[in-house]
Amino acid sequence: MRHDWLPDRHLGVAATLAHAEELIGQVSALLFAYQTQPEGIFGLVEVPTTAAFSCTVVGRVAPIPRKVPLLVADALVTLRAALEHTLFAEAEFLDGAPLDAKAAKLVEVPASDTWEKFEDWKKKRARNGPPSLRGRGELARRLEALQPFHRRMEPQSHPLARLVLHTNHAKHRMPAITAVRLAVMYEDDRMPRSIRDLAPRPEEPLRVGEVIAQTPIGTKVPVTLFPTVGINRPGTDQWPVLIQELEEIAHWVRTQAVPRLITGTEPPEPGLPTRYEISVGHEDERQAMSVGSTTSAGERHKKALAAASARGDLAEMISMIDGSPSEPQIVRWLAQLNDEEVLEQMSRLRMAFDYDPEVERHNLEVLKGCRDAALRFGDSDGPHEK
């Protein structure tokens, strides 16, 4: 489907959004390598505290590559540029002439958490601003519909508010601050039925020396930990998941803000692609956009991490089945499956919160099928050392 709703004057914004997506993709690639490093992104040590108890303490946290926050800042600035460029081009179109120097300086996308602040913003454009941004001008109307104050509960969490907060900080200070967070933690014998059943953990960086558990000496309690990488929202003590913060802001800019600024209506179909080929020139830009991707870097990142975890879990479970090949051969079989295929294999296993013979039999049959596939792969792959 072609994007006939997108005027020629705004074709460039699709490329800007694709560039932002490429930057987020680079962030994702660095984070994936960081989060899947063999030695893990943090280490734990047991420290006796009394004659009866010991503490599990964070002994090390792997340093996050410096390039991650630099790329994050680049991506967020590019997303804000997409909004500003769209607004500028639309102001010149609606007002029928190039903007003079005074008017051009007053073209910006505000993030007002109250209606009064937005009215003050408009008043400052009453004399020299573009006509479409004054009073009840068409662009002023479109901008008002995007403002954070429409979110009555926590307007500061609105995507536009977050975008402006991050980019204002990046312009004047060091790039975004990132850190490892422990998003989820639970004892294996108390596995929750749903993520919603877990008590929320503090939204703060994981630090060397931090105590995460206390147990009687000599007692081992298997625990599942889900670390992630967070980003600090400037001026707050909030550390949301980095890739999710980028994903939510980019999705809003692409699917809501840009289309509404251009059309003044509900976002039309088809939506803008997350990315398309922008490293070569196109005789027909719309055709290139129509075959672009609709899957975001954030979605690919989540799937890649889930598949990496599933590969490890499946390799361990399959190796425990009678007649299984060596674990290295199972790992090689899993490695040649794409992420979707690995996740499909994992999805066939049923979760059991209590012992259920039917579930156990089902899962055994699924794992036997995986074992047989790994054996066939080994036969076709040639001999390997065990």
Side-chain angles (χ1 to χ4, degrees), residues 246-291:
L246 287 176
E247 167 77 4
E248 290 175 359
I249 293 172
H251 180 80
W252 180 81
V253 170
R254 183 182 69 255
T255 66
Q256 295 294 321
V258 166
R260 289 178 183 277
L261 281 177
I262 291 172
T263 66
T265 63
E266 288 290 316
E269 293 292 339
L272 293 169
T274 56
R275 69 190 190 284
Y276 68 101
E277 181 56 70
I278 58 173
S279 59
V280 299
H282 299 287
E283 295 290 342
D284 188 340
E285 195 88 3
R286 296 177 190 278
Q287 173 60 26
M289 290 167 54
S290 70
V291 296

Side-chain angles (χ1 to χ4, degrees), residues 146-160:
L146 299 175
Q147 294 306 298
F149 68 76
H150 290 292
R151 180 176 289 186
R152 296 184 180 181
M153 299 296 291
E154 299 184 348
Q156 69 274 12
S157 66
H158 188 282
L160 178 57

Side-chain angles (χ1 to χ4, degrees), residues 46 52-54 56 187 214-222:
E46 289 296 319
F53 289 91
S54 68
T56 302
E187 295 179 13
Q214 185 180 50
T215 55
I217 287 179
T219 301
K220 291 187 177 181
V221 180

